[in-house]
Every structure is written in C-alpha cells, then in structure tokens.
C-alpha cells in the first residue's frame, strides 16, 4: 500500500479530470490536427506526431476523448512516478501528486488537446525518470529520460532549449558513474560535450515523424512571426517596411493598424495582403527578402522592434494580465473545423463549477509566468549552495534552468501571448521547489 499510494492518487486525479472535462477541449489548431488525422494529411507547421497519434486513438474513441484520456494519463502517471522517487512519507507523496496535478494552471490546461500538453507530459516523464535515477543510479533511467525528452521535443519546435539543461545534467550523471576520479574541470567539459551530443540525438529523433512521406513541409515557419514583428515596427515608425514580394502593394498603414493586436500575430493576416510561407513555397527572391527583413528588425529598427517584443513579454508572462485576453489563457469549448463530426457542448454542474472557478483565477498571479520564473531564479541560487552536498540539489538546479531556458527565448520567438506556452515552466518550477525542499540541507 505504501508504494502504491502516489499511483492511487494519480488514478483518482485522472478519474476526476475525465469526469470534469470529458471529452476535452478543441481550439482551432487542435481541431485542425484532428482533421489532419481523419484525412491522413499532415504538415510540418504543427509537428505531425500529435495528428499521427490521434489517427490511432480515433480508431478506439472517435473525436477528442481518446486523445484527452491519453494525455491526461501520461501526465498523471508521470506525477506519480516523480512522487514515488521522493524521500518522503507516503502521505506526502500523495500530496505532491495532488498538488501538482490539481495546480490550477496545470489542471486548467490539461483538457486542451494541444501539442504543448504532450510536450509537458514528455518533460514530466523525463523529470520522473531522473528523480528515480538519483535513488538508484543506472544508465537505463538516464536513457529513458533522453527518450522522454525526444518525445517532448517532437511536439514543439522550440522545446529543445528547455531540454538542454536536463541533457547536460544527464551527461554530468553519466560521467559521475563512469569517470568518478576525473577532476571537476574535466568532468564539466565532458558533461558539456556529452550533453550537446545528446541534444543532437534528441533533435534527430524528434524530427523523425516529419520524415513520413505524408507530411507536407513548410519552409521558414517563423515567417508568420517576422511579418507580425514588421507590422509592429511599421506602425511604430509610421511607414511600411515590407520588402517587395512579402506584402501586397495595396496594403496601407490604416488597414494594417485596423487588424494589428499586440498579443497575437494571427489578426494581421486577415488583411490577405501579407505573404507568409504557410500559403505556399517562397520564391528564392522572397526567401532572401524574408531573411533580410528578419535581420533588419533588431539591427535597423531596434527601438520599435524591442518595444514590441517587450510588450509581448509583458502579456505572455502576466505582467499585464488585464491586457491579456482570458481566451489566451484557457480556451474551453469544442471548435468546429472542416468536415469534422459535430460534438455536443460541455454540460453538467461539475464542469460548470470547476471551469467557473478556474476562469476566476485567470487574472491572478497563479497564471502569471513571471512569478514562476522568479521562483526558478531563487531555486537556482539556493541549489548551487547545496551542490557539493546533495545530488538532488543538482537536479533541482537543472529543472529550474530548464524552465528558464524554455520560457525566456519566447520573448523573441513567440508569436502570441498564449499561456499554454508556459505549461512546462510552471510544472518545472513546482518540481524544482519540491526537489530542493527534499534535500538533506533543505536549500540552506
């Protein structure tokens, strides 16, 4: 019973999740990926692994329900696995599972069929395996964590930055086992080299689903962000800065201003006058023009460009929660797309009560990314003081660094202030605090 306690808690959490949110939520892009699964047509804009898995789950449970059950089971089981590795009493392991799984931002994101949630599950499993590796050092745990990170990175193009600190930790642990007599300098250099080698392997493994011949490849998927950034700069400088081939000559500043919002890139494309790569292949001249535009934004238009990115960061990390629409935090509902079968709307008092409670918290600090990043910085400082005494502090530092490495690049790369981008940083922050709290020195 002692060993099964966290697993029983996870089973209860899973049952509650399914009872409250079945069959999950579909936003536009998740509905589109369901359409891809149904039509056996994939594209590289949305990494295709999600739609490929959906194609299989649809054979068992048609619609979002099967995918929701799978992603919920993956996450709750990872939390149980993590809690089972902690050197605490069974009651505290149960508490860890329930606190993490029912933490409002994570519980609220869980029913959305999003690649971000599958990335979160992959990172959570890597975390759990590495926590077990501390208790029972073995290469199998470390290899399992590498595979879990490859799985996580297969769902999001940007996830590799968050995986890198964990891969460096895996490299450090590997050398601690095979070369314990190496000097600190030699082991650090070796861990760095091994971590980078593992990162290359993770990148290659994560790219495998895109090699399927059914996948339509889109070049320069970041074009939609660059063209949006250029729109912000154009409005700030009161002149259009688009080079020929990327914008319709008929586009005007007034038309662009009427569609531009500072929290999402999608509305500017409603003009139909900006040429992004999703529409079809670029010509060589258009590729060159886009590359030149991307380079010119931070170099030739730095004040306007960085003001725009700073504004997005304020919204993304919750410094201005009032300016961020609640619909960018949670997107409850079942969006229709193409010929997808219609789905009945969510109903029932339990769903309404839980969703109402979650929506009431959206504008509180619980859903402010800056708070989690600030906590991660504190964990890093405290964990470094314990590194010589407790390996658990090293893992806490790696997890906190992973949170920061995942989130901070979004300040320049993100095309939206959607809270789901911070799913792993939120869980990583909580897990890093727990790891640090369970060291022998407690962070002192």
């Amino acid at each position: 019973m002692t060993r099964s306690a966290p697993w029983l808690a996870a089973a209860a959490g899973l049952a509650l999740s399914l009872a409250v949110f079945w069959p999950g939520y579909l936003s536009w892009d998740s509905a589109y990926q369901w359409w891809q699964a149904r039509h056996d047509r994939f594209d590289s804009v949305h990494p295709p692994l999600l739609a490929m898995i959906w194609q299989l789950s649809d054979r068992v449970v048609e619609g979002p329900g099967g995918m929701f059950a799978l992603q919920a089971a993956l996450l709750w089981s990872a939390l149980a696995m993590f809690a089972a590795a902690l050197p605490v009493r069974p009651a505290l392991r149960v508490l860890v599972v329930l606190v993490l799984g029912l933490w409002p931002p994570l519980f609220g994101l869980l029913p959305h069929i999003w690649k971000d949630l599958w990335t979160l599950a992959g990172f959570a499993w890597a975390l759990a395996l590495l926590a077990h590796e501390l208790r029972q050092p073995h290469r199998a745990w470390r290899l399992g964590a590498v595979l879990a990170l490859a799985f996580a990175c297969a769902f999001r193009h940007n996830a590799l930055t968050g995986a890198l600190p964990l891969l460096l930790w895996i490299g450090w642990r590997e050398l601690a086992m095979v070369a314990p007599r190496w000097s600190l300098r030699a082991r650090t250099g070796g861990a760095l080299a091994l971590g980078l080698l593992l990162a290359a392997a993770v990148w290659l493994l994560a790219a495998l689903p895109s090699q399927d011949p059914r996948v339509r490849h889109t070049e320069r998927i970041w074009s939609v962000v660059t063209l949006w950034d250029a729109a912000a700069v154009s409005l700030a400088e009161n002149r259009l800065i688009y080079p020929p081939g990327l914008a319709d000559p008929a586009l005007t500043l007034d038309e662009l201003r009427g569609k531009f919002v500072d929290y999402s890139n999608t509305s500017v494309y409603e003009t139909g006058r900006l040429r992004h790569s999703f529409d079809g292949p670029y010509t060589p001249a258009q590729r060159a023009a886009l590359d030149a535009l991307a380079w010119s934004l931070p170099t030739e238009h730095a004040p306007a460009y960085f003001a725009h990115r700073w504004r997005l960061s304020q919204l993304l990390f919750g410094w201005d929660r009032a300016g961020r629409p609640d619909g960018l935090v949670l997107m409850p509902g079942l969006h229709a797309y193409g010929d997808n079968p219609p789905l009945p709307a969510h109903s029932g008092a339990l769903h309404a009560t839980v969703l109402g409670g979650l929506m009431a918290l959206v504008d509180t600090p619980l859903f402010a990314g800056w708070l989690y990043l600030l906590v991660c910085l504190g964990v890093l400082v405290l964990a470094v003081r314990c590194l010589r005494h407790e390996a658990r502090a090293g893992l806490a530092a790696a997890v906190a660094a992973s949170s920061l490495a995942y989130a901070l690049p979004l300040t320049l790369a993100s095309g939206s202030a959607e809270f789901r981008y911070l799913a792993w940083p939120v869980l990583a922050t909580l897990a890093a605090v727990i790891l640090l709290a369970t060291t022998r020195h407690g962070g002192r």
Side-chain angles (χ1 to χ4, degrees):
M1 188 67 177
T2 299
R3 292 184 178 181
S4 64
W7 294 96
L8 292 173
L14 174 60
L16 176 64
S17 302
L18 298 180
V20 172
F21 297 115
W22 184 267
Y25 297 149
L26 289 181
S27 64
W28 180 91
D29 51 349
S30 48
Y32 174 49
Q33 291 208 274
W34 182 26
W35 181 90
Q36 290 182 52
R38 293 179 56 249
H39 290 271
D40 200 36
R41 294 168 59 183
F42 312 108
D43 68 56
S44 61
V45 173
H46 300 277
L49 184 56
L50 180 65
M52 291 174 175
I53 295 173
W54 206 326
Q55 195 171 62
L56 298 175
S57 76
D58 228 25
R59 298 173 183 173
V60 180
V61 180
E62 185 181 26
M67 289 296 285
F68 170 41
L70 281 174
Q71 71 181 31
L74 279 172
L75 183 58
W76 279 105
S77 59
L79 298 181
M81 187 77 169
F82 171 66
L86 297 175
V88 297
R89 297 189 302 275
L92 288 179
R93 291 176 180 173
V94 168
L95 184 62
V96 165
V97 172
L98 296 179
V99 166
L100 293 181
L102 298 178
W103 192 256
L106 298 175
F107 193 56
L109 288 173
L110 182 60
H112 299 80
I113 316 302
W114 280 335
K115 55 192 175 186
D116 308 81
L117 272 297
W118 289 76
T119 292
L120 173 65
F123 272 105
W125 266 101
L127 165 70
L129 292 168
L130 291 176
H132 275 276
E133 196 272 342
L134 290 178
R135 299 191 68 183
Q136 185 183 8
H138 196 282
R139 184 170 294 161
W141 295 115
R142 297 190 290 276
L143 179 58
V146 171
L147 294 177
L149 291 171
F151 177 81
C153 291
F155 294 96
R156 282 214 65 91
H157 298 292
N158 64 301
L160 188 59
T161 60
L164 185 56
L166 298 176
L167 293 169
L168 293 174
W169 171 252
I170 292 170
W172 175 267
R173 292 290 293 174
E174 178 69 18
L175 290 178
M177 300 299 110
V178 302
R181 297 184 181 277
W182 282 17
S183 67
L184 177 62
R185 182 175 181 180
R187 191 183 299 175
T188 300
L192 178 61
L194 183 54
L196 293 176
L197 184 63
L198 290 173
V202 163
W203 180 77
L204 290 172
L205 288 171
L208 286 178
S210 294
Q211 306 311 307
D212 189 295
R214 296 170 295 174
V215 176
R216 180 178 68 88
H217 290 274
T218 299
E219 60 178 349
R220 287 167 170 76
I221 59 174
W222 44 268
S223 64
V224 292
V225 176
T226 296
L227 295 175
W228 178 55
D229 291 343
V233 170
S234 295
L235 295 175
E237 297 184 355
N238 204 34
R239 64 189 180 94
L240 293 173
I241 66 168
Y242 293 105
L246 297 181
D248 189 318
L251 179 67
T252 66
L253 276 172
D254 287 341
E255 184 178 16
L256 194 61
R257 186 175 290 108
K259 293 295 183 181
F260 181 85
V261 295
D262 55 7
Y263 52 77
S264 176
N265 68 347
T266 56
S267 61
V268 296
Y269 299 105
E270 295 174 5
T271 65
R273 300 188 188 278
L274 294 177
R275 177 73 167 83
H276 55 71
S277 61
F278 296 6
D279 288 334
Y282 277 150
T283 66
Q286 288 172 325
R287 286 194 291 270
L290 182 70
D291 293 345
L293 177 63
W295 176 252
S296 72
L297 290 174
T299 57
E300 300 174 19
H301 308 278
Y305 171 73
F306 287 110
H308 162 62
R309 298 312 303 187
W310 173 245
R311 176 57 181 160
L312 177 66
S313 298
Q314 291 177 313
L315 297 167
L316 175 64
F317 295 117
W319 294 316
D320 181 9
R321 295 190 298 281
R324 179 186 61 187
D326 290 352
L328 291 185
V329 182
L330 300 179
M331 302 182 191
L334 293 161
H335 189 94
Y337 181 89
D339 63 352
N340 286 345
L343 297 165
H346 295 85
S347 62
L350 182 59
H351 176 263
T353 300
V354 173
L355 180 59
L358 290 170
M359 295 304 295
L361 295 173
V362 159
D363 291 326
T364 70
L366 281 176
F367 285 83
W370 65 264
L371 178 62
Y372 298 93
L373 301 187
L374 187 62
V375 171
C376 278
L377 285 174
V379 169
L380 275 175
V381 172
L382 293 174
V384 167
R385 299 170 60 185
C386 306
L387 287 178
R388 292 181 179 273
H389 308 287
E390 176 67 73
R392 193 173 303 278
L395 180 57
V399 172
S402 173
S403 174
L404 295 170
Y406 191 105
L408 293 180
L410 294 172
T411 59
L412 296 180
S414 178
S416 172
E418 294 181 48
F419 183 75
R420 58 169 160 160
Y421 301 159
L422 303 180
W424 165 241
V426 169
L427 177 58
T429 301
L430 301 175
V433 169
I434 291 170
L435 286 167
L436 188 61
T438 54
T439 64
R440 288 195 297 270
H441 294 263
R444 295 186 296 275

